Amino acid sequence: MSRYVIGRIGQAALVLWAAFTVSFVLLQALPGDAILIKFLNPELGLGPEQIADIRASYAVDSPLLVQYLHTVANFLMGNFGYSIHAGVPVGDLILANLSPTLWLSTLGFLLSLVLAITIAALSALSPFSWLRSFIQSIPALFISTPVFWLGILLIQVFSFQLKLIPIINPGPWQALILPVVTLAVPISAPLAQILMRNIDHVLTEPFVAVARAKGASHRGVLWRHVAKNAVLPTLTIGGILFGELLAGAVVTEAVFGLNGLGGLTQRSVNDQDIAVLQAIVVFSAAAFVLINLTVDLLYPVFDPRLRVRQGAVA
Amino acid sequence: MTTAINIKSASTNIVNLPVLEISKLAVGYRGSEGFQRVVHEVSLLVRPGEVVALVGESGSGKTTTAQAVIGVLAENGQLESGVVRLNGTDIAGWSQKQLDTIRGRKISLIPQDPTSSLNPVKTIGAQVAEVLQIHRQGSRAEIDARVIELLARVGLSQPELRARQYPHELSGGMRQRVLIAIAVALRPALIIADEPTSALDVTVQKRILDLIDELRREYGTAVLLVTHDLGVAADRANHIVVLKGGRIHEQGPTAEVLASPRSEYTRKLLADAPSLGKARIARTRSPRVSGSDDAIVVGNLVQDFSIGGRRDVFRAVDGVSFTVQRGTTHAIVGESGSGKTTTARSIVGFQRPTSGRIIVEGIDVTNLRGESLRRFRKTIQLVYQNPFASLDPRQTIFQIVEEPLLNFDPLPREDRARKVQAILERVGLPQPVLTRRPHALSGGQRQRVAIARALVLDPQVLVLDEAVSALDVTVQAQILALLNELQQALGLTYLFISHDLAVVRQISDTVSVLHNGRQVDGGPVEDVFQRPGSAYTRELIGAIPGQRNADRH
């Protein structure tokens, strides 16, 4: 088991390194130059020599390989460099923007789980087939709702019409309610769809017929036999969706004016602030890798078949 | 329904009251082409302690009938009309909620496939306990004790350990014992056993059927035994009901049905069932058999597979040797895990043996590589077990049979078409199937296509890996007759891989019996059957169903 864990962690490190390297190459290949964007501004009135000095201080003209090794070494020591645009350490910048994103994505993901499970449970328990096909069509509606439109609609209804949530200076919790809902609705759709398909599939398994033959009710079978078997395959997709959320929800943050990682990413792309982008890529990759690692390690807890590494069966 | 007699008033004599009385049962399924009735006017009786066998081929409606009785039809299935009386009470119109009160307690189920009939994420103990909990049989401690008792009763060693294990940690036979424990837990009046041993090896099958018999006698439970195997029905049932196309063709006491079948269909079933020992394929040996040239020589074959670590090896085949004369059939017999398929794969050249010698038609297979190995496939061809999975569903039958020709020496298009048509005629398929796709064909027709595909390259050796195991007995008999005819006409050599000793006895000249990778017996097939050289072979032969009543007569 421990060998398995070590192997998985090794793979995770490899993925992180690959993400770092690929993003480094791609960001270097970007046309444009962050230093020129900022300091060539005529208002600053800097001469060519001064700009050359600045360029030297950022070491942007040294060979790429040297820059690469230098950046790797710095990242390994937890030094993510300085934002060219804001002039502050990248680490501080990310930390400042992390908290809203963390709250938004965690709560959004939890709400999407609740929504998905509710939809799937209603569909499985509905006594009429017309009701079930109606419930099963809800995720398709959810997934095709544009996020910006949903966000604006929610603000219109709850803030302006019903005046339930103040739009100016809301409390920290009030400010999160609408964005969380906006985020959760589209995320819940694929989860609900996979859950419903799994439930339908598990219901056709012979062990369900055996459970019915024991005298178990439909509800009892769903709860005791179907639920766990149907949830297992959704773990992977759940992990991926949560990872995507952590990388920042650009549109939702923009609509609700939240200062999260999504907004920071957007600004840094505009400013070509390579150091910030590089750190964001590595952070997102790390979040992804960590979540996937957790999911992989969770599987054996839920599925006894994965607990023993079986050899070849003849 | 006009025959509804008031059983209740006549039920003073409990002994005569049937446990189950089905009368004019009709069941159908809603499909894309509307409602389709698959069970028509089925009526039968099961008396206390009796075993009634519902016998039929696939699609005969036997499983649908059984499912209708216990109310676990597929979602699109519907019990249309008829009476299902359990201990005198008509339950045909009962809701699922009402049925929940009797299922598991008065009537229970032993399912077909033990591998998928237990919840993979729950322990064995929890799954046995569930039936007791649902019907509120005592406290938690009492239930736990009863679970252990039940697991011990169905012959599981270390019942305390088994209760904590998960289904994947148990073998197929052990899982079926667990399912039997669940079925008998509350001593129901009726057990529906739906093909309870079809997925099991023959020796395990015998032990499981013996266990069901024993528990039935001990608890006085009646059994409705659904089976495709007339041999199993002959051995175990008091009463046989023969179904075909959803209708009862014949029913009566077992001895009567076997000795003097009244319907044409039953006679055909009896004639085709290899296990009843009545089927004999007229084998006239071709004169070439007397010649001494060997088509296949296998010497001391060993095949290892590495498992997990670098040094752990699993020896799948351990010192197997045999020779097959040209134009004859050699059978490799064994249960699952015996190494019979591994042996066949080594002979075809799919894997390199760890050690040993394989010579096919004078070619040393162990030294073949690359192009010469590819050329070798023209000499030897394979026919697989599952005629549903071994044909590409997107190709037409013509394309399927033509494909091997495209892989070797290019032939003009007209020559290929002529060859394909000739071989399809040879295997007894009509020309119109050429343009169809596999899904439009029956199982027997598909297996004929698979044989045609193998023969289109004019191979000298055909490896038949469980090639008739998935087929109904009447279809199986037809395919075996076809294989026999092809062998005589084309002088083919067959290597016949099978778990079914009865079929092996019918078709083969010589046989090797494999057990855990070792060859425990071998030689001319009648010698092995008459004078088995090992205890294992004796056990295998003894486990062939359909012998009990044959002895009795």
Side-chain angles (χ1 to χ4, degrees):
Chain A
M1 186 67 193
S2 63
R3 225 172 94 190
Y4 170 71
V5 174
I6 292 166
R8 293 290 307 146
I9 292 172
Q11 278 177 23
L14 199 69
V15 168
L16 270 182
W17 170 79
F20 174 84
T21 307
V22 169
S23 61
F24 184 86
V25 171
L26 286 175
L27 290 170
Q28 292 298 332
L30 271 183
D33 188 321
I35 294 173
L36 293 184
I37 289 173
K38 179 164 182 184
F39 296 104
L40 213 53
N41 191 335
E43 285 172 22
L44 292 173
L46 295 171
E49 298 84 27
Q50 284 159 308
I51 288 182
D53 282 351
I54 294 170
R55 289 183 72 84
S57 74
Y58 279 98
V60 286
D61 291 327
S62 53
L64 263 188
L65 190 66
V66 175
Q67 285 192 46
Y68 174 73
L69 293 174
H70 193 70
T71 322
V72 170
N74 278 337
F75 265 65
L76 284 178
M77 289 182 294
N79 175 8
F80 303 111
Y82 282 85
S83 160
I84 294 170
H85 191 76
V88 295
V90 173
D92 298 353
L93 207 56
I94 287 184
L95 268 185
N97 287 281
L98 189 59
S99 152
T101 296
L102 219 51
W103 278 114
L104 185 63
S105 47
T106 309
L107 292 176
F109 184 67
L110 288 179
L111 182 63
S112 74
L113 281 184
V114 172
L115 277 174
I117 291 169
T118 310
I119 293 170
L122 284 177
S123 140
L125 288 171
S126 69
F128 314 110
S129 59
W130 63 264
L131 184 62
R132 184 165 37 188
S133 43
F134 170 74
I135 294 170
Q136 296 204 331
S137 65
I138 292 176
L141 177 75
F142 278 10
I143 208 162
S144 38
T145 310
V147 175
F148 67 89
W149 179 81
L150 180 67
I152 293 169
L153 184 83
L154 287 176
I155 294 176
Q156 267 294 337
V157 173
F158 290 98
S159 296
F160 294 138
Q161 304 287 323
L162 301 174
K163 302 196 191 301
L164 287 175
I165 296 160
I167 201 76
I168 313 289
N169 287 331
W173 292 104
Q174 281 178 319
L176 273 175
I177 295 172
L178 293 183
V180 162
V181 173
T182 311
L183 212 54
V185 164
I187 299 285
S188 70
L191 286 175
Q193 268 168 339
I194 292 166
L195 258 182
M196 288 189 300
R197 200 173 333 131
N198 289 342
I199 289 173
D200 285 349
H201 172 72
V202 176
L203 277 173
T204 65
E205 293 273 342
F207 67 79
V208 169
V210 168
R212 292 309 308 256
K214 288 176 187 171
S217 63
H218 180 57
R219 213 171 269 238
V221 167
L222 278 178
W223 179 242
R224 285 196 299 270
H225 293 281
V226 177
K228 202 167 169 188
N229 280 292
V231 164
L232 281 175
T234 49
L235 277 180
T236 304
I237 187 81
I240 292 172
L241 290 172
F242 188 46
E244 278 177 14
L245 283 184
L246 274 184
V250 179
V251 178
T252 310
E253 286 178 13
V255 170
F256 291 96
L258 290 168
N259 289 316
L261 281 186
L264 181 64
T265 310
Q266 184 210 343
R267 286 193 304 279
S268 306
V269 169
N270 288 345
D271 300 336
Q272 303 224 347
D273 206 338
I274 290 176
V276 180
L277 286 174
Q278 180 78 65
I280 288 177
V281 168
V282 170
F283 169 79
S284 306
F288 247 105
V289 162
L290 202 68
I291 289 167
N292 277 321
L293 190 64
T294 314
V295 168
D296 282 353
L297 297 181
L298 268 180
Y299 261 112
V301 175
F302 291 114
D303 194 339
R305 284 166 295 183
L306 300 172
R307 273 174 221 166
V308 202
R309 300 266 278 166
Q310 284 169 318
V313 179
Chain B
M1 271 179 290
T2 46
T3 55
I5 17 162
N6 196 344
I7 292 255
K8 273 228 162 119
S9 64
S11 67
T12 39
N13 191 349
I14 292 288
V15 184
N16 281 338
L17 180 71
V19 175
L20 177 72
E21 182 192 7
I22 301 176
S23 162
K24 296 198 169 173
L25 181 73
V27 188
Y29 290 102
R30 276 185 313 278
S32 47
E33 291 122 50
F35 199 82
Q36 209 161 19
R37 188 178 283 192
V38 298
V39 171
H40 312 262
E41 307 233 324
V42 165
S43 306
L44 58 91
L45 282 182
V46 183
R47 293 194 176 79
E50 205 181 41
V51 179
V52 173
L54 213 50
V55 182
E57 306 195 310
S58 45
S60 63
K62 57 187 191 302
T63 292
T64 299
T65 305
Q67 286 174 339
V69 169
I70 194 166
V72 292
L73 283 170
E75 207 180 349
N76 60 339
Q78 199 192 333
L79 199 159
E80 284 183 90
S81 64
V83 179
V84 178
R85 275 202 192 84
L86 188 70
N87 285 334
T89 315
D90 184 7
I91 58 168
W94 278 22
S95 69
Q96 289 291 331
K97 210 164 217 160
Q98 283 174 297
L99 286 170
D100 286 342
T101 61
I102 56 160
R103 279 193 289 233
R105 203 155 57 90
K106 296 257 178 270
I107 181 171
S108 66
L109 175 76
I110 301 174
Q112 175 164 17
D113 180 9
T115 50
S116 57
S117 293
L118 287 169
N119 188 339
V121 298
K122 295 191 84 165
T123 61
I124 298 297
Q127 300 193 53
V128 179
E130 188 184 10
V131 67
L132 302 168
Q133 284 155 357
I134 288 168
H135 299 286
R136 305 220 161 68
Q137 301 291 314
S139 69
R140 205 189 165 125
E142 281 165 4
I143 285 177
D144 286 350
R146 180 90 180 102
V147 166
I148 303 297
E149 198 182 301
L150 278 165
L151 291 177
R153 180 64 199 87
V154 295
L156 286 170
S157 58
Q158 299 174 278
E160 289 88 1
L161 170 69
R162 303 291 169 229
R164 286 194 306 273
Q165 282 181 311
Y166 288 92
H168 70 276
E169 296 170 273
L170 271 58
S171 71
M174 287 159 81
R175 285 184 229 188
Q176 196 59 293
R177 284 174 194 273
V178 172
L179 286 156
I180 291 172
I182 293 171
V184 301
L186 296 172
R187 303 193 175 214
L190 176 70
I191 293 176
I192 291 174
D194 184 5
E195 302 267 13
T197 55
S198 305
L200 302 172
D201 278 328
V202 58
T203 51
V204 184
Q205 170 177 41
K206 180 166 185 293
R207 279 179 236 136
I208 294 291
L209 289 171
D210 285 346
L211 173 66
I212 294 176
D213 255 357
E214 199 183 309
L215 292 169
R216 177 182 63 82
R217 270 196 295 274
E218 190 178 318
Y219 296 170
T221 303
V223 176
L224 182 64
L225 175 67
V226 177
T227 181
H228 70 282
D229 190 335
L230 209 49
V232 168
D235 279 356
R236 310 286 168 172
N238 309 97
H239 207 82
I240 288 182
V241 179
V242 180
L243 271 178
K244 183 180 192 255
R247 291 175 201 278
I248 291 182
H249 269 237
E250 172 152 8
Q251 62 174 313
T254 304
E256 252 174 56
V257 171
L258 292 182
S260 50
R262 274 170 290 127
S263 89
E264 188 59 38
Y265 178 67
T266 315
R267 271 196 286 279
K268 189 165 167 43
L269 268 187
L270 282 170
D272 289 341
S275 57
L276 286 175
K278 292 185 182 168
R280 275 284 174 272
I281 287 177
R283 292 182 65 80
T284 42
R285 295 268 122 253
S286 54
R288 275 200 271 176
V289 173
S290 50
S292 64
D293 49 348
D294 294 327
I296 305 174
V297 179
V298 175
N300 213 3
L301 177 69
V302 174
Q303 186 80 56
D304 287 343
F305 290 109
S306 63
I307 41 170
R310 244 156 269 160
R311 249 162 282 156
D312 297 335
V313 289
F314 171 73
R315 185 152 287 191
V317 177
D318 190 2
V320 169
S321 306
F322 58 85
T323 57
V324 188
Q325 274 192 357
R326 187 160 299 131
T328 68
T329 302
H330 182 79
I332 302 179
V333 191
E335 299 187 292
S336 45
S338 63
K340 56 186 193 298
T341 293
T342 308
T343 305
R345 288 177 61 87
S346 304
I347 291 168
V348 182
F350 282 161
Q351 68 214 359
R352 203 170 297 280
T354 310
S355 71
R357 197 165 63 109
I358 302 172
I359 291 163
V360 177
E361 292 289 340
I363 305 164
D364 187 349
V365 181
T366 51
N367 285 330
L368 291 178
R369 273 181 184 77
E371 181 61 17
S372 57
L373 181 61
R374 201 177 75 83
R375 289 267 141 207
F376 169 66
R377 308 244 194 265
K378 267 191 83 160
T379 312
I380 189 163
Q381 283 284 310
L382 257 167
V383 178
Y384 295 94
Q385 170 169 15
N386 188 338
F388 296 88
S390 65
L391 303 178
D392 182 346
R394 288 171 207 277
Q395 286 186 321
T396 64
I397 301 306
F398 181 84
Q399 286 170 325
I400 288 170
V401 180
E402 182 195 28
E403 194 180 349
L405 291 172
L406 300 173
N407 295 335
F408 290 95
D409 314 297
L411 282 172
R413 179 191 290 264
E414 304 84 62
D415 287 6
R416 287 201 309 266
R418 213 172 308 125
K419 248 188 135 159
V420 170
Q421 277 164 12
I423 200 74
L424 279 178
E425 202 170 317
R426 184 85 252 192
V427 300
L429 283 171
Q431 292 295 318
V433 304
L434 278 175
T435 52
R436 297 210 195 121
R437 283 172 216 282
H439 68 86
L441 270 55
S442 70
Q445 284 179 318
R446 286 182 219 205
Q447 205 56 308
R448 282 172 197 265
V449 171
I451 292 170
R453 175 176 59 184
L455 288 179
V456 77
L457 288 171
D458 301 320
Q460 283 111 47
V461 180
L462 215 54
V463 176
L464 301 147
D465 189 357
E466 300 274 11
V468 297
S469 305
L471 304 172
D472 283 326
V473 279
T474 53
V475 181
Q476 189 178 53
Q478 289 161 12
I479 297 290
L480 289 175
L482 170 71
L483 287 172
N484 193 40
E485 181 205 319
L486 289 170
Q487 183 170 48
Q488 281 170 38
L490 307 172
L492 293 166
T493 306
Y494 290 154
L495 190 61
F496 192 84
I497 317 294
S498 182
H499 71 282
D500 190 336
L501 272 91
V503 170
V504 164
R505 191 173 192 177
Q506 266 182 41
I507 191 167
S508 56
D509 301 294
T510 50
V511 61
S512 299
V513 181
L514 263 54
H515 183 47
N516 292 337
R518 288 175 184 277
Q519 189 169 348
V520 295
D521 225 326
V525 72
E526 279 312 313
D527 287 1
V528 171
F529 272 79
Q530 302 292 339
R531 292 175 292 279
S534 74
Y536 178 69
T537 312
R538 271 192 291 279
E539 193 191 346
L540 270 186
I541 294 171
I544 301 176
Q547 298 179 47
R548 288 190 179 182
N549 281 7
D551 295 347
R552 236 179 269 161
H553 292 309

